[in-house]
Amino acid sequence: MPDILSPDCVGLVTPQSHKFTTPLALNCGRTLPSYELIYETYGTLNKNHSNAVLICHALSSDHHAAGYYSMQDKKPGWWESCIGPGKPIDTNRFFVVSPNNLGGCKGSSGPNTLNPDTNKPYGPDFPIITVRDWVKSQARLGDVLGISQWAAVVGGSLGGMQALQWAIDYPKHLRHCVVIAAASKLTAQNIAFNEVARQAILSDPDFHAGHYYQHNTLPRRGLMLARMLGHITYLSEFAMRKKFGRELREGKINFGFDVEFQVESYLRYQGSSFVDRFDANTYLLMTKALDYFDPASEYKNNLSAAFAKLQAKFLVISFTSDWRFSPARSREIVKALLDNKKEVSYAEIKAHEGHDAFLMPIPRFIQTFQAYMQHIEISNK
Amino acid sequence: MKLRTDLALISEWIVEDSHVLDLGCGNGTLLAHLHETRSVTGYGLEIDDENIVYCIQAGVNVIHTDLNQGLSDFSDDSFDYVVMTQALQTIHRPDLLLLEMLRVGREGIVTFPNFGHWGARISLLFGGVMPTSRALPSEWYNTENIHLCSLHDFEKLCHTLDIEVLQRAVVDTTHHTSRSMRLMPNLFGEIAIYRFRSKPVKRIYQRKKK
């Protein structure tokens, strides 16, 4: 918990929410008649609304991107390293909007919220949401907040995919697009990891076909396994070796199946603490959104063709040790932008932290990100 | 800010509104200057992550690239000029990169330290040691300059690769030129600057290949 708030922290924040009553037609063919989005904002919207930055979150995060809810909070928002006064997304300059995506489990409409038709939680009946649906819902949130053009749309991982989709679907409505540790589509290996995670949840006897809320239980083991697997893929081999090595918890092996190595203990902790803060149905939905994302598929699998109408300027960043969203995937995005002679800068940051690097205060990453954001012009006319 | 003389020279060779690729663009000085004075667009390629930050600060589009991997991210004929200042001699295969430059660009411009300079010759002839100089400050064992050449060497390579030299200039390390340098460039020039393109025959051949 923070004893005092650091001057580069946005401070104490309170989420807001908005109820949308215009139906939202979704990619899957279904329609959400009404829905709610919870979001946080940091900084101040300027007079002509030209300084707004949209933050798109990744698989397991939410709208709480920066600051604290109270002085008793143990941890700040998930992107505290990048959002705040004097940080890359400088709240002295920018008005930052950070929503929780539809289908999430932290306050926006999703499987764990009440279905107005039945007055029961949606559960597995919540429609499958795609990246395009998210972008559409975020655009509507922009309308509510009076933002017709974002100074930048920014995201890492699955968030980077949303930023890309923004540039494709609403080319005139953003000036800059920052895509970090992302990909224009998942590889077969990446989908495979998601499938194992889903199977872990789906095969948990406590899953009850997604209706576990009614049974007053949780698919704890399944969600825990899914998270443990995910966590391994978010770190690099080097990072794990450095953090745990082969260190034993009790200093000796016990010839049994209880926790012996420190890395086992760490993974179990990560898994079980995740169960307390995340919903299994949401996890299933989010991994599907990841798997389905492939904007080039509508253009005969030609990413360059998909990017032809983009207008935003781009910053693309990858991390050397990220093997889940490797630099090669980012380069594909960069190449498609270059094919179209779009304005783009690309940095491959040396980092040992794997995919998680985008959440960490790695100096060169922060400098690169900051240099780009500082260059974004904000008109005050 | 005053521009380095070799960069100033190059700038004069580049037509307004062109699309330029700068290989090993450093902190982006040349592209920023070209953008400001000649409305040039384009990208810099750079491998040093600190330089990438400087480029972004200067508003230059920069792509993290290892030039030894070639220019496969760029399609044929996508630039008016491909420029490479003081990097040719650090490349594993300068011959292949020169061809790559002319694949993606209409014309190429390179600058490199001239190993035919009299200082280098004397050092090897009388000292019997690998030359170090203002243009080549490193020792043989720690230098990045692994493929040094003289003006003659470069021109011979151009001939072999069917590359036509369009313009040549030499300067010293303070980037000035003199009468002696103009008369005997391979002996007195410390830094060579070339503008070149594929010979017409070669260009037709390349088009057929596509």
Side-chain angles (χ1 to χ4, degrees):
Chain A
M1 90 191 64
D3 290 333
I4 46 159
L5 291 165
S6 146
D8 65 358
C9 174
V10 297
L12 297 179
V13 296
T14 314
Q16 303 164 65
S17 96
H18 186 87
K19 189 164 176 155
F20 296 82
T21 47
T22 315
L24 184 72
L26 303 168
N27 243 192
C28 64
R30 292 171 61 186
T31 299
L32 269 182
S34 66
Y35 56 95
E36 215 167 312
L37 285 183
I38 191 166
Y39 62 95
E40 287 177 12
T41 69
Y42 324 111
T44 315
L45 188 62
N46 67 3
K47 224 173 170 184
N48 62 356
H49 298 191
S50 65
N51 69 335
V53 171
L54 177 69
I55 308 293
C56 303
H57 70 71
L59 176 65
S60 58
S61 10
D62 51 42
H63 53 290
H64 186 36
Y68 297 84
Y69 288 145
S70 82
M71 294 303 274
Q72 277 72 51
D73 278 2
K74 281 191 185 128
K75 280 184 181 171
W78 59 269
W79 223 8
E80 183 70 13
S81 58
C82 290
I83 304 170
K87 290 179 181 170
I89 302 168
D90 187 347
T91 47
N92 288 331
R93 289 186 76 215
F94 296 114
F95 173 66
V96 181
V97 180
S98 173
N100 180 210
N101 283 345
L102 270 182
C105 52
K106 298 299 176 72
S108 288
S109 297
N112 70 348
T113 60
L114 286 186
N115 180 346
D117 292 344
T118 61
N119 257 336
K120 284 179 188 163
Y122 277 103
D125 299 330
F126 197 83
I128 297 233
I129 303 284
T130 63
V131 169
R132 170 164 277 169
D133 297 327
W134 280 333
V135 167
K136 208 167 168 184
S137 67
Q138 289 158 358
R140 288 195 179 174
L141 179 62
D143 292 342
V144 169
L145 298 172
I147 297 154
S148 56
Q149 187 190 58
W150 300 93
V153 176
V154 178
S157 190
L158 178 56
M161 291 172 160
Q162 293 160 57
L164 264 184
Q165 190 75 54
W166 256 99
I168 295 168
D169 288 352
Y170 300 95
K172 290 184 187 140
H173 297 273
L174 67 161
R175 298 200 298 281
H176 294 268
C177 185
V178 181
V179 180
I180 303 167
S184 67
K185 60 174 182 240
L186 290 194
T187 58
Q189 186 196 42
N190 219 327
I191 295 171
F193 282 124
N194 284 343
E195 173 57 7
V196 176
R198 281 190 295 266
Q199 283 304 325
I201 294 168
L202 294 168
S203 60
D204 186 323
D206 288 330
F207 183 62
H208 297 289
H211 292 289
Y212 43 86
Y213 318 99
Q214 274 114 297
H215 293 79
N216 276 325
T217 180
L218 287 173
R220 291 192 73 87
R221 283 161 294 179
L223 185 55
M224 181 173 159
L225 276 175
R227 181 60 174 176
M228 285 166 82
L229 172 72
H231 216 84
I232 298 169
T233 69
Y234 303 146
L235 297 176
S236 68
E237 194 268 342
F238 177 90
M240 274 199 155
R241 181 154 32 105
K242 210 173 134 203
K243 206 165 176 177
F244 310 107
R246 291 179 51 84
E247 208 177 305
L248 293 159
R249 221 156 67 130
E250 294 173 23
K252 62 181 177 66
I253 51 173
N254 292 324
F255 299 97
F257 298 111
D258 282 338
V259 169
E260 293 186 299
F261 291 97
Q262 284 295 6
V263 66
E264 297 174 312
S265 150
Y266 171 79
L267 280 178
R268 288 192 195 191
Y269 171 77
Q270 286 295 332
S272 65
S273 66
F274 187 65
V275 175
D276 298 327
R277 67 179 174 90
F278 213 79
D279 179 73
N281 281 319
T282 289
Y283 202 84
L284 294 175
L285 276 182
M286 296 274 173
T287 57
K288 273 292 172 188
L290 267 167
D291 292 359
Y292 290 152
F293 181 69
D294 183 9
S297 63
E298 290 166 39
Y299 297 84
K300 296 179 182 162
N301 294 317
N302 182 343
L303 191 62
S304 305
F307 284 0
K309 291 188 183 122
L310 304 197
Q311 292 187 15
K313 295 183 182 181
F314 276 77
L315 173 65
V316 180
I317 294 180
S318 69
F319 299 92
T320 49
S321 59
D322 183 353
W323 56 281
R324 187 103 198 236
F325 290 80
S326 73
R329 303 283 82 74
S330 286
R331 287 210 80 103
E332 288 165 1
I333 296 170
V334 172
K335 182 172 181 346
L337 291 167
L338 292 173
D339 285 344
N340 286 291
K341 299 194 175 177
K342 302 296 178 195
E343 296 219 37
V344 51
S345 281
Y346 169 62
E348 193 180 304
I349 305 291
K350 284 187 202 88
H352 296 306
E353 290 85 348
H355 185 53
D356 270 353
F358 85 93
L359 298 168
M360 308 205 178
I362 297 163
R364 192 65 86 208
F365 165 49
I366 300 292
Q367 283 166 15
T368 308
F369 192 6
Q370 184 146 36
Y372 188 83
M373 294 304 287
Q374 279 172 347
H375 236 270
I376 294 179
E377 283 174 24
I378 297 167
S379 78
N380 282 310
K381 276 180 220 160
Chain B
M1 189 181 66
K2 194 172 170 339
L3 201 63
R4 236 168 58 193
T5 313
D6 59 336
L7 300 185
L9 263 172
I10 292 171
S11 304
E12 280 167 31
W13 291 357
I14 286 174
V15 176
E16 273 191 21
D17 297 319
S18 3
H19 197 51
V20 174
L21 184 66
D22 185 357
L23 312 186
C25 65
N27 59 12
T29 308
L30 178 67
L31 280 173
H33 176 77
L34 287 172
H35 178 68
E36 211 172 287
T37 57
R38 296 180 180 250
S39 329
V40 159
T41 58
Y43 309 95
L45 306 187
E46 181 54 50
I47 194 162
D48 180 76
D49 54 358
E50 193 175 3
N51 272 334
I52 288 175
V53 175
Y54 291 139
C55 286
I56 293 172
Q57 276 167 353
V60 167
N61 292 321
V62 61
I63 311 292
H64 183 114
T65 306
D66 178 358
L67 294 178
N68 286 317
Q69 307 291 320
L71 305 175
S72 56
D73 283 348
F74 297 91
S75 27
D76 296 0
D77 296 321
S78 42
F79 294 91
D80 297 307
Y81 303 92
V82 181
V83 179
M84 180 163 56
T85 62
Q86 300 292 335
L88 184 72
Q89 73 280 0
T90 69
I91 300 297
H92 290 163
R93 287 294 299 271
D95 53 338
L96 300 181
L97 190 57
L98 284 171
L99 292 174
E100 273 286 86
M101 287 172 76
L102 292 177
R103 177 184 65 79
V104 305
R106 206 166 41 82
E107 289 185 7
I109 296 174
V110 296
T111 79
F112 57 86
N114 172 27
F115 208 60
H117 183 256
W118 63 268
R121 297 188 197 196
I122 283 177
S123 178
L124 203 55
L125 185 63
F126 295 111
V129 292
M130 283 298 279
T132 55
S133 68
R134 289 178 300 179
L136 298 163
S138 305
E139 296 287 349
W140 65 272
Y141 48 82
N142 62 8
T143 183
E144 291 182 335
N145 304 321
I146 54 172
H147 282 121
L148 289 158
C149 69
S150 69
L151 272 66
H152 287 342
D153 290 323
F154 182 76
E155 285 168 28
K156 223 168 98 186
L157 176 63
C158 287
H159 180 75
T160 312
L161 299 176
D162 282 326
I163 289 172
E164 176 187 4
V165 172
L166 299 169
Q167 218 167 350
R168 181 183 76 187
V170 290
V171 292
D172 64 19
T173 46
T174 58
H175 301 99
H176 292 96
T177 190
S178 68
R179 194 156 163 263
S180 58
M181 274 189 242
R182 280 191 296 273
L183 285 172
M184 302 184 79
N186 198 32
L187 192 59
F188 292 109
E190 284 184 273
I191 290 164
I193 311 169
Y194 281 91
R195 183 164 69 89
F196 53 89
R197 66 176 178 190
S198 299
K199 279 188 184 155
V201 189
K202 180 80 178 174
R203 289 205 294 274
I204 291 162
Y205 171 70
Q206 278 181 337
R207 270 193 211 113
K208 269 190 190 154
K209 255 199 334 190
K210 269 192 265 171

mmCIF file of all heavy atoms in Angstrom, chain B residues 144-159:
data_model
loop_
_atom_site.group_PDB
_atom_site.id
_atom_site.type_symbol
_atom_site.label_atom_id
_atom_site.label_comp_id
_atom_site.label_asym_id
_atom_site.label_seq_id
_atom_site.Cartn_x
_atom_site.Cartn_y
_atom_site.Cartn_z
ATOM 1 N N GLU B 144 34.818 -1.988 -36.065
ATOM 2 C CA GLU B 144 33.573 -2.418 -36.701
ATOM 3 C C GLU B 144 33.748 -2.450 -38.214
ATOM 4 O O GLU B 144 32.931 -3.004 -38.947
ATOM 5 C CB GLU B 144 32.452 -1.431 -36.382
ATOM 6 C CG GLU B 144 32.028 -1.461 -34.937
ATOM 7 C CD GLU B 144 30.882 -0.498 -34.681
ATOM 8 O OE1 GLU B 144 30.737 0.490 -35.439
ATOM 9 O OE2 GLU B 144 30.144 -0.739 -33.722
ATOM 10 N N ASN B 145 34.853 -1.813 -38.671
ATOM 11 C CA ASN B 145 35.051 -1.678 -40.119
ATOM 12 C C ASN B 145 35.730 -2.925 -40.667
ATOM 13 O O ASN B 145 36.946 -3.018 -40.727
ATOM 14 C CB ASN B 145 35.904 -0.441 -40.416
ATOM 15 C CG ASN B 145 35.262 0.797 -39.821
ATOM 16 O OD1 ASN B 145 34.043 0.941 -39.863
ATOM 17 N ND2 ASN B 145 36.069 1.666 -39.248
ATOM 18 N N ILE B 146 34.913 -3.893 -41.058
ATOM 19 C CA ILE B 146 35.456 -5.182 -41.454
ATOM 20 C C ILE B 146 35.673 -5.296 -42.952
ATOM 21 O O ILE B 146 36.307 -6.221 -43.419
ATOM 22 C CB ILE B 146 34.538 -6.324 -40.966
ATOM 23 C CG1 ILE B 146 33.107 -6.074 -41.452
ATOM 24 C CG2 ILE B 146 34.580 -6.457 -39.445
ATOM 25 C CD1 ILE B 146 32.179 -7.235 -41.192
ATOM 26 N N HIS B 147 35.126 -4.371 -43.708
ATOM 27 C CA HIS B 147 35.274 -4.442 -45.169
ATOM 28 C C HIS B 147 35.712 -3.093 -45.715
ATOM 29 O O HIS B 147 34.940 -2.409 -46.382
ATOM 30 C CB HIS B 147 33.954 -4.882 -45.815
ATOM 31 C CG HIS B 147 33.718 -6.337 -45.690
ATOM 32 N ND1 HIS B 147 32.612 -6.870 -45.070
ATOM 33 C CD2 HIS B 147 34.454 -7.394 -46.091
ATOM 34 C CE1 HIS B 147 32.674 -8.190 -45.109
ATOM 35 N NE2 HIS B 147 33.786 -8.533 -45.719
ATOM 36 N N LEU B 148 36.969 -2.753 -45.436
ATOM 37 C CA LEU B 148 37.471 -1.459 -45.896
ATOM 38 C C LEU B 148 37.827 -1.542 -47.374
ATOM 39 O O LEU B 148 38.241 -2.584 -47.873
ATOM 40 C CB LEU B 148 38.697 -1.081 -45.076
ATOM 41 C CG LEU B 148 38.336 -0.717 -43.631
ATOM 42 C CD1 LEU B 148 39.539 -0.863 -42.724
ATOM 43 C CD2 LEU B 148 37.755 0.689 -43.577
ATOM 44 N N CYS B 149 37.659 -0.434 -48.061
ATOM 45 C CA CYS B 149 38.010 -0.414 -49.487
ATOM 46 C C CYS B 149 38.446 0.984 -49.889
ATOM 47 O O CYS B 149 38.221 1.961 -49.177
ATOM 48 C CB CYS B 149 36.829 -0.869 -50.332
ATOM 49 S SG CYS B 149 35.461 0.286 -50.355
ATOM 50 N N SER B 150 39.099 1.037 -51.020
ATOM 51 C CA SER B 150 39.492 2.328 -51.583
ATOM 52 C C SER B 150 38.465 2.725 -52.638
ATOM 53 O O SER B 150 37.568 1.946 -52.968
ATOM 54 C CB SER B 150 40.873 2.208 -52.225
ATOM 55 O OG SER B 150 40.772 1.396 -53.378
ATOM 56 N N LEU B 151 38.621 3.932 -53.165
ATOM 57 C CA LEU B 151 37.718 4.364 -54.236
ATOM 58 C C LEU B 151 37.792 3.407 -55.411
ATOM 59 O O LEU B 151 36.778 3.041 -55.998
ATOM 60 C CB LEU B 151 38.082 5.792 -54.705
ATOM 61 C CG LEU B 151 37.419 6.943 -53.944
ATOM 62 C CD1 LEU B 151 37.896 7.003 -52.511
ATOM 63 C CD2 LEU B 151 37.656 8.264 -54.655
ATOM 64 N N HIS B 152 39.037 2.976 -55.737
ATOM 65 C CA HIS B 152 39.217 2.050 -56.858
ATOM 66 C C HIS B 152 38.489 0.736 -56.614
ATOM 67 O O HIS B 152 37.822 0.216 -57.499
ATOM 68 C CB HIS B 152 40.717 1.752 -57.083
ATOM 69 C CG HIS B 152 41.452 2.908 -57.701
ATOM 70 N ND1 HIS B 152 40.807 3.944 -58.344
ATOM 71 C CD2 HIS B 152 42.790 3.187 -57.789
ATOM 72 C CE1 HIS B 152 41.691 4.822 -58.784
ATOM 73 N NE2 HIS B 152 42.915 4.379 -58.452
ATOM 74 N N ASP B 153 38.655 0.222 -55.384
ATOM 75 C CA ASP B 153 37.982 -1.038 -55.038
ATOM 76 C C ASP B 153 36.477 -0.908 -55.231
ATOM 77 O O ASP B 153 35.829 -1.787 -55.795
ATOM 78 C CB ASP B 153 38.248 -1.409 -53.568
ATOM 79 C CG ASP B 153 39.683 -1.833 -53.336
ATOM 80 O OD1 ASP B 153 40.255 -2.493 -54.216
ATOM 81 O OD2 ASP B 153 40.224 -1.497 -52.257
ATOM 82 N N PHE B 154 35.946 0.204 -54.729
ATOM 83 C CA PHE B 154 34.496 0.391 -54.804
ATOM 84 C C PHE B 154 34.033 0.448 -56.257
ATOM 85 O O PHE B 154 33.041 -0.177 -56.637
ATOM 86 C CB PHE B 154 34.081 1.656 -54.045
ATOM 87 C CG PHE B 154 32.597 1.880 -54.056
ATOM 88 C CD1 PHE B 154 31.756 1.116 -53.236
ATOM 89 C CD2 PHE B 154 32.009 2.831 -54.895
ATOM 90 C CE1 PHE B 154 30.380 1.297 -53.253
ATOM 91 C CE2 PHE B 154 30.628 3.016 -54.910
ATOM 92 C CZ PHE B 154 29.821 2.240 -54.085
ATOM 93 N N GLU B 155 34.804 1.195 -57.046
ATOM 94 C CA GLU B 155 34.393 1.350 -58.447
ATOM 95 C C GLU B 155 34.506 0.025 -59.207
ATOM 96 O O GLU B 155 33.708 -0.263 -60.100
ATOM 97 C CB GLU B 155 35.207 2.472 -59.103
ATOM 98 C CG GLU B 155 34.700 3.843 -58.625
ATOM 99 C CD GLU B 155 35.607 5.018 -58.979
ATOM 100 O OE1 GLU B 155 36.321 4.923 -59.990
ATOM 101 O OE2 GLU B 155 35.580 6.018 -58.236
ATOM 102 N N LYS B 156 35.501 -0.772 -58.812
ATOM 103 C CA LYS B 156 35.650 -2.092 -59.434
ATOM 104 C C LYS B 156 34.439 -2.978 -59.096
ATOM 105 O O LYS B 156 33.905 -3.676 -59.959
ATOM 106 C CB LYS B 156 36.938 -2.759 -58.912
ATOM 107 C CG LYS B 156 37.762 -3.463 -59.983
ATOM 108 C CD LYS B 156 39.142 -3.835 -59.439
ATOM 109 C CE LYS B 156 39.177 -5.286 -59.005
ATOM 110 N NZ LYS B 156 40.438 -5.638 -58.344
ATOM 111 N N LEU B 157 34.024 -2.892 -57.829
ATOM 112 C CA LEU B 157 32.854 -3.675 -57.412
ATOM 113 C C LEU B 157 31.604 -3.223 -58.177
ATOM 114 O O LEU B 157 30.810 -4.037 -58.635
ATOM 115 C CB LEU B 157 32.636 -3.543 -55.902
ATOM 116 C CG LEU B 157 31.379 -4.232 -55.344
ATOM 117 C CD1 LEU B 157 31.441 -5.747 -55.560
ATOM 118 C CD2 LEU B 157 31.199 -3.941 -53.850
ATOM 119 N N CYS B 158 31.470 -1.903 -58.321
ATOM 120 C CA CYS B 158 30.326 -1.369 -59.068
ATOM 121 C C CYS B 158 30.308 -1.951 -60.476
ATOM 122 O O CYS B 158 29.264 -2.367 -60.987
ATOM 123 C CB CYS B 158 30.395 0.158 -59.148
ATOM 124 S SG CYS B 158 29.997 0.933 -57.583
ATOM 125 N N HIS B 159 31.509 -2.007 -61.085
ATOM 126 C CA HIS B 159 31.605 -2.546 -62.436
ATOM 127 C C HIS B 159 31.146 -4.005 -62.460
ATOM 128 O O HIS B 159 30.333 -4.406 -63.300
ATOM 129 C CB HIS B 159 33.053 -2.418 -62.930
ATOM 130 C CG HIS B 159 33.242 -2.959 -64.318
ATOM 131 N ND1 HIS B 159 32.802 -2.289 -65.443
ATOM 132 C CD2 HIS B 159 33.783 -4.129 -64.742
ATOM 133 C CE1 HIS B 159 33.072 -3.010 -66.518
ATOM 134 N NE2 HIS B 159 33.674 -4.143 -66.117
#
